[in-house]
Amino acid sequence: MDMDTLVALCKRRGFLFQSSEIYGGLNGFWDYGPLGVELKRNVREAWWSDMVRSHNELVVPQGAPSAYEMCGLDCTIIMHPQVWKCSGHYDLFCDYMVDCRESKKRYRYDQVNGRWVEYHGKKIFVTTELVGEDGEKACEQKAQKFFNLRAKNVGELVWDSPMQDLTTTKGEFADVLGPDAKELGTLTPPREFNLMFKTTIGALGGEADAAFLRPETAQGIFVNFKNVCDSTRVKIPFGIAQMGKSFRNEITPRNFTFRSREFEQMEIEFFCHPNQSREWYMYWRDRRMQWYRDLGLAGERLRMREHTPEELSHYSTGTADIEYAFPFLAPGDFGELEGVAHRGDFDLRSHMEGKLDPNTRPLTVELGPDGKPKYRGSGRDMTYFDEVTRERFLPHVIEPSSGADRATLAFLCEAYHEDEAPDDGGKMTKRVVMRFHPRLAPIKVAVFPLVRKDGMPEAAQEIYGELKQYFNTFYDEKAAVGRRYRRQDEIGTPYCVTVDGQTLSDGTVTVRDRDTLEQRRVPKAELATELKQRMGIR
C-alpha cells in the first residue's frame, strides 16, 4: 500500500486533515475529521476499557506474578517548572539538529541519510532525504556530479557503509554535501535543540513566569503518587493510567501523524516491589503486545524488540519497543508504536531528592558548583509502607507508554485493503475496503432502504433509531444500494442492514458482512443482539 494513497483516502473520507489547511497548513499538526475522531476515540476507549475499567483486581491475570489494582488520573498540561528540572527534561530533553545554509531546511542530526564517498583522496559525506534503493541511487548521482564523473568512471568511487556520525576521526565536522545543496559546507555543525514548548504564566511575562507544555504525561503521575496512595485504598502492586495531550517541538515532524508536535499519549505507571519488578516488566511487555494483536495488528508487520545495553536510558534496566512496519519506511524497517520501560526508582527518587546525575552508578543527586543539589526535589517522602510485611521501600516503576495517534495510524495502515467485489451489475470490480476491527470501526452499522418508496425509508429510519442506542450508526438512502455498500466499505463499516420488500412482509432485514460479503436474513427484533454478538460487544 502506497502511503500517498492512504493519506488521500484520509482526507477524502474525513479521517485526517492538515491543521489550518486553508492558510497553507502548519507543519507537525493534524486535525481529526468526523471519521477520524471516532476512530481515535475508539482506540482510546479500547485501551482504557482493557487496561483500567474492565480490569478485575480480584483475580491473577495470565502471566502476572499476582493480582493488582488499576486506577486513573487526569493531570494538567502545564505543571510547576521544577517538575521538568528534577525529571531531567530541562537539561537532557534535547535533539541535535543541523541546518542547510543554502536550502534553509533543518534536519535531525541522527536522521541524516547518506554515505561516505572517496575519490582520489577527497572524502565527503553525500546526503539524501531518500532511503533504500532510491537513496543509494540519489547518493551515487550526487557523487558523480560533484566529482564530475562519467558513467564509465563510477567504479573508481570508494564507498563506505552508511554512517550517522558526520564528524571525522579528529572530531571535526566533515565535508558534507547537503540533501538540497550543490556545494560542500552548507550543513551547519550539530547543535542542541530543546524539545519542550515554552510558555508564560501570568500577565508580566518575565523569566520567573516561564513554564512548559508537558512533553509527556508520565511526570504528572509521579508527582501525584502520594496523593493517590493517601486518598484511595490501593495497595502495591498497582497501576495509574492517564491519557492526554503532550507537546514536543520536533525539529523535523514528518511521515503523516507518526512524528508530530502535538500528540496524545496513553500511559501506565505501574508501581511494584523492587524484588518483583523484573517479573512485572515481562508481564506488561507481553500484555501490551497481545493487545495490538487482539485488535488486528498481526503478522510480520508487528514485532517486539528489546533495547541493547547501548540504547537504554541511564535510569532503565530494560526496555522493549513494540514496533510496526509502517508503509512510509524502507522495506525491513520498523517504527516505534509503544515502549515498555523498566524505570526502576528513578522518577520517584528524582521528585523526592532532586535531579539525578546520569553519569553516576548508582545514581546520585547531581550537584551544582556550590556543592548543593543542582535542582532540588520536593522533599516529600515518596516511599511506600507495606502494612502486611511492615516494610518501607521506594517502589520500582514499569511504564507501558503508547501513542494514541501512532496507534490510530497503525490501525489505518493495517486496515487498508484492495480486492474485487461484484458491482450492481454483478461484474467484478476493484474495491477499497478498510478492515478495521469492529471495536475500532468509526461507524459500526449502516442502514439502507433498498429504494425510496413503498414504506421502506420509514421502516429503515425506525431501525436506524433503535440501533443508534447501541452503536454509532449511519443512514443512507442515496444512489444504488451497491454504491452505498462501496462507500461503507471504504470507511470500514463492518455491517450494512438493508430494508427491502420482504422486510415489510415478514419483518426480516438483510445483514451484509464487510469482509466476507455474506448476506443473511435476520428478524428485526433480534437485530441488535445479533450485531452485538458479531462485534463481540457486551
Side-chain angles (χ1 to χ4, degrees):
M1 185 263 295
D2 179 71
M3 196 64 197
D4 291 339
T5 302
L6 180 63
V7 173
L9 182 144
C10 286
K11 181 179 180 181
R12 184 176 71 253
R13 289 303 189 190
F15 284 98
L16 280 153
F17 312 121
Q18 188 171 20
S19 176
S20 313
E21 185 180 14
I22 64 171
Y23 292 104
L26 189 60
N27 194 21
F29 298 90
W30 297 90
D31 298 331
Y32 285 83
L35 289 180
V37 72
E38 293 292 339
L39 175 61
K40 185 178 174 183
R41 184 185 296 273
N42 290 342
V43 171
R44 296 198 311 256
E45 173 64 21
W47 184 87
W48 190 264
S49 175
D50 294 344
M51 298 299 111
V52 185
R53 190 173 57 242
S54 64
H55 171 68
N56 187 347
E57 71 279 6
L58 303 179
V59 300
V60 180
Q62 183 178 359
S66 67
Y68 62 90
E69 298 180 71
M70 290 292 297
C71 59
L73 201 63
D74 187 5
C75 304
T76 59
I77 288 173
I78 297 177
M79 304 172 69
H80 194 291
Q82 199 69 11
V83 169
W84 309 112
K85 292 179 180 180
C86 289
S87 69
H89 288 81
Y90 187 79
D91 288 340
L92 303 175
F93 198 60
C94 302
D95 276 340
Y96 282 89
M97 65 178 180
V98 291
D99 292 307
C100 181
R101 297 184 180 95
E102 185 174 315
S103 68
K104 308 303 180 187
K105 289 186 177 182
R106 177 168 290 169
Y107 308 93
R108 268 183 56 175
Y109 174 60
D110 62 335
Q111 293 178 349
V112 174
N113 298 306
R115 294 180 74 95
W116 287 99
V117 183
E118 184 179 350
Y119 180 69
H120 291 188
K122 179 68 172 179
K123 188 175 183 179
I124 64 170
F125 191 83
V126 180
T127 66
T128 175
E129 291 187 274
L130 304 174
V131 295
E133 292 183 4
D134 292 337
E136 292 290 319
K137 293 177 183 177
C139 282
E140 183 173 322
Q141 291 171 357
K142 291 179 72 174
Q144 283 182 255
K145 190 171 183 180
F146 180 79
F147 290 117
N148 296 318
L149 288 174
R150 290 182 301 222
K152 66 179 182 179
N153 296 323
V154 173
E156 299 182 35
L157 290 173
V158 178
W159 296 90
D160 282 352
S161 58
M163 297 176 65
Q164 298 294 345
D165 187 4
L166 304 187
T167 57
T168 65
T169 54
K170 299 178 181 179
E172 300 171 346
F173 196 58
D175 286 331
V176 180
L177 189 61
D180 300 293
K182 300 174 183 177
E183 297 179 1
L184 292 178
T186 56
L187 284 189
T188 63
R191 62 188 188 278
E192 283 189 352
F193 178 78
N194 195 291
L195 300 179
M196 287 197 295
F197 277 101
K198 198 172 185 178
T199 188
T200 302
I201 298 175
L204 297 180
E207 188 60 32
D209 302 315
F212 302 93
L213 304 185
R214 67 183 180 196
E216 64 177 29
T217 60
Q219 298 305 319
I221 298 176
F222 295 129
V223 299
N224 277 292
F225 170 72
K226 290 296 288 186
N227 288 333
V228 173
C229 288
D230 295 343
S231 62
T232 67
R233 298 173 63 190
V234 293
K235 305 294 182 185
I236 281 181
F238 72 90
I240 302 177
Q242 180 174 206
M243 296 188 294
K245 292 275 191 177
S246 294
F247 305 84
R248 295 182 184 178
N249 198 9
E250 294 283 355
I251 299 171
T252 54
R254 66 192 187 285
N255 292 333
F256 206 18
T257 57
F258 181 78
R259 188 176 299 281
S260 51
R261 292 184 167 114
E262 178 181 333
F263 55 96
E264 193 161 0
Q265 290 182 290
M266 307 181 296
E267 291 194 302
I268 295 170
E269 304 304 329
F270 188 81
F271 302 92
C272 60
H273 192 284
N275 293 344
Q276 287 190 312
S277 58
R278 185 67 188 177
E279 296 175 73
W280 282 114
Y281 167 68
M282 299 301 293
Y283 165 75
W284 278 108
R285 196 193 70 154
D286 297 340
R287 170 84 188 276
R288 292 301 305 145
M289 182 72 170
Q290 189 60 44
W291 186 80
Y292 289 103
R293 287 175 175 152
D294 291 343
L295 290 175
L297 293 189
E300 297 179 352
R301 288 188 292 273
L302 185 71
R303 75 175 186 183
M304 181 181 291
R305 184 183 67 84
E306 283 280 354
H307 282 206
T308 64
E310 293 74 26
E311 292 179 278
L312 291 176
S313 301
H314 59 275
Y315 54 77
S316 179
T317 58
T319 297
D321 282 345
I322 299 172
E323 299 178 328
Y324 182 74
F326 290 95
F328 50 74
L329 300 173
D333 286 351
F334 288 75
E336 181 186 344
L337 196 56
E338 175 168 345
V340 182
H342 186 317
R343 300 178 68 102
D345 61 6
F346 170 80
D347 300 283
L348 294 181
R349 274 194 63 199
S350 297
H351 292 300
M352 181 169 63
E353 302 173 5
K355 179 180 180 291
L356 301 179
D357 187 347
N359 299 314
T360 58
R361 295 293 184 275
L363 294 172
T364 57
V365 175
E366 185 172 345
L367 303 179
D370 57 359
K372 298 179 180 180
K374 183 177 181 181
Y375 300 122
R376 288 188 177 277
S378 66
R380 292 284 300 275
D381 182 7
M382 294 288 191
T383 59
Y384 174 83
F385 181 71
D386 191 320
E387 295 180 352
V388 176
T389 64
R390 314 304 294 175
E391 179 187 7
R392 182 173 294 278
F393 58 90
L394 199 58
H396 277 201
V397 174
I398 312 302
E399 180 192 73
S401 175
S402 64
D405 302 274
R406 285 193 181 183
T408 300
L409 178 59
F411 289 123
L412 276 166
C413 294
E414 187 74 15
Y416 186 92
H417 285 81
E418 293 180 4
D419 61 14
E420 289 190 342
D423 60 12
D424 291 332
K427 181 181 178 181
M428 297 299 288
T429 57
K430 176 184 171 182
R431 177 180 74 141
V432 173
V433 55
M434 299 295 286
R435 290 183 173 150
F436 294 117
H437 188 286
R439 291 181 67 190
L440 303 183
I443 297 173
K444 312 295 187 190
V445 187
V447 180
F448 310 145
L450 184 62
V451 292
R452 288 194 290 178
K453 60 181 181 180
D454 301 332
M456 294 182 202
E458 291 78 8
Q461 290 167 16
E462 181 182 351
I463 292 172
Y464 168 74
E466 293 173 355
L467 294 182
K468 285 279 280 187
Q469 301 176 63
Y470 310 104
F471 317 106
N472 190 14
T473 310
F474 185 80
Y475 179 83
D476 191 3
E477 60 180 29
K478 298 177 182 178
V481 70
R483 189 170 297 177
R484 284 179 267 170
Y485 284 149
R486 292 298 182 92
R487 286 200 290 252
Q488 295 304 312
D489 291 341
E490 197 172 37
I491 63 175
T493 305
Y495 301 102
C496 293
V497 176
T498 303
V499 172
D500 53 21
Q502 186 176 341
T503 306
L504 306 179
S505 60
D506 66 7
T508 63
V509 294
T510 298
V511 177
R512 173 191 181 262
D513 186 286
R514 175 197 67 201
D515 298 329
T516 66
L517 302 181
E518 177 192 19
Q519 298 189 26
R520 284 183 53 199
R521 303 295 300 189
V522 176
K524 287 193 300 180
E526 302 173 8
L527 185 56
T529 302
E530 170 84 8
L531 291 171
K532 284 182 181 180
Q533 290 177 347
R534 292 195 186 195
M535 293 187 222
I537 297 176
R538 294 183 289 272

